[in-house]
Amino acid sequence: MDTPNALRSGWASRFGFILAATGSAVGLGNIWKFPYITGIHGGGAFVLVYLLCILLLGLPIMVAELLIGRCGQRDAIGSFMVLEGRKSPWRLVGWGSVAAAFVLLSFYSVVAGWSFDYVCKAATGILHRGNPEQISGLFGELTASAPRLVFWQALFILTTVGIVIGGIRGGIERWSKILMPGLFGLLILLFLHGMFSPGGMQSLKFMFVPDFTKLTSRSLLDALGHAFFTLSLGAGVMITYGSYLDPEADLFGLSFRIALLDTLVAMLASLTIFSVVFSAGMPIDGGPGLVFKTLPILFMQLPFGKVLALVFFLLLAFAALTSAISMLEVVVAYVIDEWGWRRAKATSFGGGAAFLLGIPCALSFNLWEGIKLLPGRTVFQSFDMLVSSYLLPLGGLMVSLYAGWVWTKEREKPASCRLADSGVLFAVWHFLVRYLAPAAVLLVLLNEAGLFS
Ligand code: PFF
């Protein structure tokens, strides 16, 4: 092992770190994607499998990523070079992660832009005019307009750049401390409202009474894939954020809290959305349009619907923003640490490049709809598949193999490279990253590649 750099300046407090890392984890994945895939997979049983995936696979890999970053004291690529040598093939794992974060930012910002547009629509009252068809038609109108999509995407990236440019304490931590409590407050408000609505009980039953006949092999794979995505694993985020952590921080405890908060948000958001859907007697398996097409119609039928809609889309925008911040920070940390650029220049460069790459993604919904990058998939869908189905799981697989097989307990390590190991906890973690996680992730990857179909 090379000598790690002198400890770099980092988070002002552990609490700040928890909020920033939870901010990364809580995003469109929790509020937009988790509810609709839970709806499609039939509720309770899927939720149970998902919880097991978070606990047995996601959590151990998160600990491993934080550990790699804290020990390396560098960006996602640099940390592997510090730990294994400049020319070590493990640095390719870092490369894959930075690439994943960068490509992810480009298409994530398109969907995040929709949430900005809906905040505007809700605030100006456009969302509340007309009949249900007109309201759900607003979504099609938005995605059909290339200039509007690019405008919102640009504004979203600009906001992200504006925050990341302020640095770890002055930008990311400071804004997470404002946005995350805001997000929790808004969510609890909506949740309480949902639970007292007529669909509240039915929504609880749907989420927590498992019906195992609804479970298919696809449900298992989707649960695992989503556990990765939702915890921001495989894209270098936890390595990068871990590199700003102090050597004494208890990585097990911190990871547990982040995963718990992330799960809580996913559960509350789903219960709220389902209670609204059930109250209106609508089908629960509406798919990706659930949040942008179905919900606005339903909000209109509720008392205080206008305020609720505004609160909901603000919540979505906050969640997307704190996740995008982490993606950009992965790229920025790399450019600062490895190329020696100043933060302002690195951030503008990373944000600008992600914006340019995002333009073809925005155009995939309209002008370039006919252009297919991978067979049968638009640029947006190809990027999404490349990152969510391959790069993130592959990154997670390599991190677990590294932590389980290369990273041995016996090595001489400085404090920042040690886990607060309480014997049993360490043994369980080591077993999970060494055997269970690689086997499970490999299974998913092979399945995605079509080996079992
Ligand atoms: N965890 C984010 C979400 O649930 O929306 C998505 C994400 C953020 C994935 C950052 C990966 C990442 F590096």
Side-chain angles (χ1 to χ4, degrees):
M1 189 170 96
D2 278 5
T3 6
N5 298 351
L7 283 184
R8 54 160 134 200
S9 78
W11 309 104
S13 67
R14 301 242 172 100
F15 181 63
F17 162 77
I18 291 181
L19 287 186
T22 306
S24 171
V26 171
L28 296 170
N30 302 60
I31 301 171
W32 172 60
K33 195 164 177 202
F34 182 70
Y36 89 70
I37 56 175
T38 304
I40 290 174
H41 288 298
F46 175 78
V47 173
L48 205 65
V49 175
Y50 168 80
L51 290 177
L52 284 176
C53 289
I54 294 273
L55 196 68
L56 298 179
L57 308 169
L59 204 55
I61 294 181
M62 186 187 288
V63 172
E65 285 202 11
L66 289 173
L67 183 64
I68 291 169
R70 191 178 63 177
C71 184
Q73 289 288 305
R74 288 253 288 271
D75 61 287
I77 299 173
S79 286
F80 278 108
M81 296 202 294
V82 168
L83 298 178
E84 296 303 318
R86 282 199 73 77
K87 291 272 167 271
S88 155
W90 285 104
R91 77 187 190 287
L92 298 178
V93 180
W95 269 107
S97 311
V98 175
F102 177 66
V103 178
L104 180 58
L105 178 60
S106 74
F107 69 83
Y108 199 85
S109 61
V110 176
V111 181
W114 301 347
S115 69
F116 273 25
D117 182 86
Y118 270 69
V119 168
C120 229
K121 281 191 171 77
T124 53
I126 296 175
L127 197 57
H128 320 305
R129 284 190 214 126
N131 57 34
E133 276 91 85
Q134 285 165 327
I135 294 178
S136 74
L138 288 171
F139 184 62
E141 278 170 32
L142 170 66
T143 52
S145 161
R148 266 167 66 194
L149 287 195
V150 174
F151 169 77
W152 287 116
Q153 182 215 1
L155 196 70
F156 179 79
I157 293 214
L158 219 59
T159 314
T160 310
V161 166
I163 294 175
V164 174
I165 231 168
I168 297 303
R169 286 184 195 195
I172 299 178
E173 188 167 353
R174 179 162 139 229
W175 279 95
S176 301
K177 279 186 179 159
I178 299 171
L179 292 172
M180 291 311 287
L183 183 146
F184 277 110
L186 297 177
L187 184 59
I188 288 171
L189 209 79
L190 281 178
F191 171 71
L192 290 178
H193 184 278
M195 284 305 100
F196 288 110
S197 71
M201 258 336 266
Q202 208 180 340
S203 157
L204 278 169
K205 268 206 202 115
F206 181 74
M207 284 284 291
F208 297 122
V209 180
D211 172 0
F212 289 99
T213 60
K214 300 240 174 79
L215 224 50
T216 62
S217 59
R218 184 78 239 167
S219 322
L220 303 182
L221 298 170
D222 278 0
L224 193 125
H226 189 66
F228 263 77
F229 185 82
T230 194
L231 293 179
S232 304
L233 299 176
V237 168
M238 296 302 162
I239 300 182
T240 308
Y241 277 16
S243 75
Y244 305 118
L245 262 178
D246 61 293
E248 278 80 38
D250 164 22
L251 301 185
F252 287 123
L254 290 175
S255 305
F256 185 75
R257 268 169 259 178
I258 297 164
L260 190 70
L261 286 172
D262 181 76
T263 307
L264 199 68
V265 172
M267 298 292 144
L268 293 183
S270 306
L271 284 168
T272 307
I273 291 172
F274 292 151
S275 66
V276 177
V277 176
F278 281 132
S279 295
M282 299 276 285
I284 203 79
D285 50 0
L290 192 64
V291 159
F292 291 104
K293 284 161 104 175
T294 315
L295 269 192
I297 304 176
L298 307 182
F299 278 136
M300 292 318 102
Q301 302 164 0
L302 293 176
F304 309 110
K306 291 183 180 169
V307 183
L308 293 176
L310 178 62
V311 171
F312 178 80
F313 286 109
L314 262 179
L315 177 80
L316 196 63
F318 280 13
L321 198 56
T322 48
S323 296
I325 288 171
S326 70
M327 297 168 204
L328 184 55
E329 179 59 25
V330 169
V331 179
V332 168
Y334 162 70
V335 173
I336 293 178
D337 288 351
E338 308 304 322
W339 299 359
W341 286 19
R342 280 178 305 109
R343 176 166 282 273
K345 189 171 154 197
T347 313
S348 317
F349 169 77
F355 168 65
L356 291 180
L357 191 66
I359 293 177
C361 300
L363 299 188
S364 329
F365 292 93
N366 36 70
L367 303 177
W368 289 7
E369 211 175 351
I371 297 181
K372 310 289 177 209
L373 201 61
L374 294 174
R377 289 174 196 267
T378 62
V379 178
F380 180 96
Q381 290 164 338
S382 305
F383 280 9
D384 182 17
M385 168 145 165
L386 176 74
V387 174
S388 314
S389 306
Y390 292 105
L391 285 179
L392 298 186
L394 193 65
L397 171 66
M398 296 316 286
V399 164
S400 66
L401 286 177
Y402 179 72
W405 296 87
V406 180
W407 181 279
T408 51
K409 196 181 170 187
E410 294 72 32
R411 278 200 200 173
E412 282 278 303
K413 295 189 195 99
S416 60
C417 303
R418 271 182 250 133
L419 281 170
D421 84 288
S422 65
V424 181
L425 206 54
F426 182 88
V428 172
W429 171 77
H430 200 244
F431 171 79
L432 291 174
V433 286
R434 195 171 161 92
Y435 301 109
L436 194 71
V441 182
L442 200 62
L443 209 69
V444 171
L445 274 168
L446 293 178
N447 183 71
E448 285 295 347
L451 217 76
F452 305 129
S453 55

